[in-house]
């Protein structure tokens, strides 16, 4: 499935089987979960995507070929996971200081390099991960972005006991399971009036649920905003205790309106999450089966990628959409 022009549907097109180069793996794709970032690319909200482009960055597949001079821990036939961060230069100030997620020259799967809405993909061997055996190909795909970016957002909250989550979509649902496993008190904020989602959060174990226009019954030590809604930032600030932190967990967010300095005072903090280093992926994929983190999924054959994206945009999915390359 090829994107030729943002704001237009994907095109179903035969794509030649690629060849891996030095340091690369050819991976036969089994599944690829659909992410809100895919919608941001298709809708033209992320600038300058590679065109033509194959979307998809929550990829599960098996190694088919290994490029020449590739020093890899993987062998042909191994199952691998392929996430958003697809390449870094390893030499810039950020890479050399352990912050490869901020690399000046980074490349991103399904955005600036081809992704997994396809039968095959070529990837840098350094940016693939072994996957927990507990999960099948459909179950594990959503962990590779919603799970990973959720985990990085969560780790930025430190040891916060009272944790608020704004927007209870895929990433929030996954990381809420980790927070509850680690004994945090969970406060979930949804669209005002979305009682179904609020009840789902309560069933999962949330201490309190309510609309994003409400204040929680206790001050929060930290809040994660997964919804791409800028006005939620000052609302979350007002819900924080002294020294609390607001973590913006999305790659794209609408503009944040102005707010009184008093809402930020007393050492409250606003921070964002950009991509994630490989060490975070290693930690999360080791932790997930112990919780165990479970994703709700809805599968589509690759040929129905546009349908999956349209249903995602309209809020009509029953779980994370996962494209399955072999419909049989």
């Amino acid at each position: 499935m090829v994107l030729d022009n943002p704001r237009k549907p994907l095109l179903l097109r035969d794509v030649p089987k690629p060849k891996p180069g030095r340091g690369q793996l050819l991976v036969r794709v089994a599944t690829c979960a659909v992410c809100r970032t895919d919608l941001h690319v298709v809708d033209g909200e992320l600038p300058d995507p590679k065109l033509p482009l194959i979307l998809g960055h929550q990829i599960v597949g098996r190694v088919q070929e290994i490029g020449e001079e590739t020093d890899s821990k993987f062998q042909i036939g191994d199952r691998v996971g392929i996430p958003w961060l697809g390449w870094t230069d390893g030499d810039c100030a950020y890479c050399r200081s352990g912050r490869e997620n901020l690399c000046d020259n980074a490349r991103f799967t399904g955005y600036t390099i081809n992704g997994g809405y396809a039968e095959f993909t070529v990837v840098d061997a350094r940016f693939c991960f072994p996957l927990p055996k507990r999960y099948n190909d459909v179950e594990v795909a959503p962990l590779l972005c919603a799970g990973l970016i959720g985990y990085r957002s969560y780790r930025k909250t430190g040891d916060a006991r009272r944790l608020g989550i704004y927007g209870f979509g895929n990433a929030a649902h996954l990381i809420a399971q980790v927070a509850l496993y680690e004994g945090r008190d969970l406060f979930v904020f949804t669209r005002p009036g979305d009682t179904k989602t609020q009840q789902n959060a309560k069933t999962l174990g949330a201490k309190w649920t309510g609309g994003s226009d409400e204040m929680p019954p206790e001050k929060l030590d930290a809040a994660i905003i997964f919804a791409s809604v800028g006005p939620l930032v000052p609302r979350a600030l007002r819900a924080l205790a002294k020294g609390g932190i607001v973590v913006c967990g999305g790659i794209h967010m609408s503009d944040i309106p102005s707010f009184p300095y008093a809402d930020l005072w007393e050492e409250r903090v606003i921070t964002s999450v950009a991509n994630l280093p490989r060490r975070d992926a290693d930690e999360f994929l080791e932790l997930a089966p112990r919780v165990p983190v479970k994703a709700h999924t809805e599968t589509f054959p690759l040929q129905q990628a546009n349908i999956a994206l349209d249903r995602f945009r309209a809020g009509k999915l029953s779980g994370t959409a996962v494209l399955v390359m072999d419909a049989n």
Side-chain angles (χ1 to χ4, degrees), residues 3 6-7 36-51 53 55 57 84 108-112 250-253:
L3 180 68
R7 302 188 183 278
R36 183 164 295 279
T37 302
D38 300 339
L39 279 179
H40 291 319
V41 175
V42 171
D43 293 343
E45 294 172 333
L46 293 183
D48 304 320
K50 168 191 174 295
L51 293 175
L53 169 68
L55 291 175
H57 58 272
W84 170 250
F108 304 105
T109 311
Y111 178 38
T112 56
I251 190 173
H252 171 83
M253 180 175 276

Side-chain angles (χ1 to χ4, degrees), residues 79-289:
R79 187 171 76 149
V80 296
I82 303 165
W84 170 250
L85 185 62
W87 183 90
T88 60
D89 61 27
D91 189 53
C92 70
Y94 297 108
C95 288
R96 287 186 277 106
S97 60
R99 297 176 292 167
E100 66 181 9
N101 56 309
L102 302 179
C103 175
D104 287 325
N105 301 304
R107 299 173 191 167
F108 304 105
T109 311
Y111 178 38
T112 56
I113 53 179
N114 282 331
Y117 287 23
E119 294 178 314
F120 294 93
T121 190
V122 168
V123 297
D124 188 314
R126 302 172 300 162
F127 290 86
C128 299
F129 300 94
L131 298 174
K133 294 180 180 179
R134 178 189 179 98
Y135 301 107
N136 65 34
D137 294 346
V138 171
E139 294 168 337
V140 76
L143 304 190
L144 292 167
C145 183
L148 295 183
I149 205 68
Y151 181 75
R152 182 157 183 82
S153 301
Y154 174 66
R155 284 300 175 220
K156 277 183 166 281
T157 68
D159 59 358
R161 183 178 66 83
R162 295 162 299 186
L163 175 65
I165 293 181
Y166 287 77
F168 204 67
N170 299 333
H173 178 262
L174 296 176
I175 211 59
Q177 296 171 58
V178 175
L180 293 167
Y181 172 78
E182 295 188 342
R184 313 297 176 93
D185 292 336
L186 194 63
F187 299 77
V188 172
F189 301 78
T190 70
R191 290 188 181 92
D194 187 357
T195 56
K196 180 180 179 180
T197 301
Q198 292 170 18
Q199 185 56 49
N200 289 341
K202 284 183 179 178
T203 301
L204 192 64
K207 183 174 182 179
W208 175 90
T209 63
S212 59
D213 56 347
E214 300 179 55
M215 282 289 114
E218 304 173 47
K219 287 289 188 179
L220 306 175
D221 299 309
I224 304 173
I225 300 176
F226 287 115
S228 56
V229 181
L232 290 177
V233 173
R235 293 184 200 174
L237 272 178
R238 289 192 289 272
L240 290 184
K242 298 175 184 179
I245 183 171
V246 173
V247 180
C248 301
I251 190 173
H252 171 83
M253 180 175 276
S254 61
D255 289 347
I256 300 171
S258 63
F259 54 86
Y261 174 67
D263 292 345
L264 183 64
W265 191 55
E266 296 174 317
E267 300 194 354
R268 295 174 179 87
V269 174
I270 304 171
T271 189
S272 66
V273 169
N275 321 311
L276 76 157
R278 284 169 285 178
R279 64 174 180 271
D280 284 10
D282 289 332
E283 288 179 12
F284 177 69
L285 292 172
E286 191 278 328
L287 172 63

Side-chain angles (χ1 to χ4, degrees), residues 263-325:
D263 292 345
L264 183 64
W265 191 55
E266 296 174 317
E267 300 194 354
R268 295 174 179 87
V269 174
I270 304 171
T271 189
S272 66
V273 169
N275 321 311
L276 76 157
R278 284 169 285 178
R279 64 174 180 271
D280 284 10
D282 289 332
E283 288 179 12
F284 177 69
L285 292 172
E286 191 278 328
L287 172 63
R290 290 194 277 117
V291 173
V293 175
K294 297 179 180 179
H296 298 306
T297 59
E298 183 175 350
T299 59
F300 297 81
L302 174 62
Q303 292 80 0
Q304 293 183 10
N306 285 315
I307 294 173
L309 287 166
D310 288 342
R311 290 185 61 182
F312 193 174
R313 184 184 289 105
K316 294 181 178 179
L317 291 171
S318 60
T320 301
V322 179
L323 303 181
V324 179
M325 304 312 150

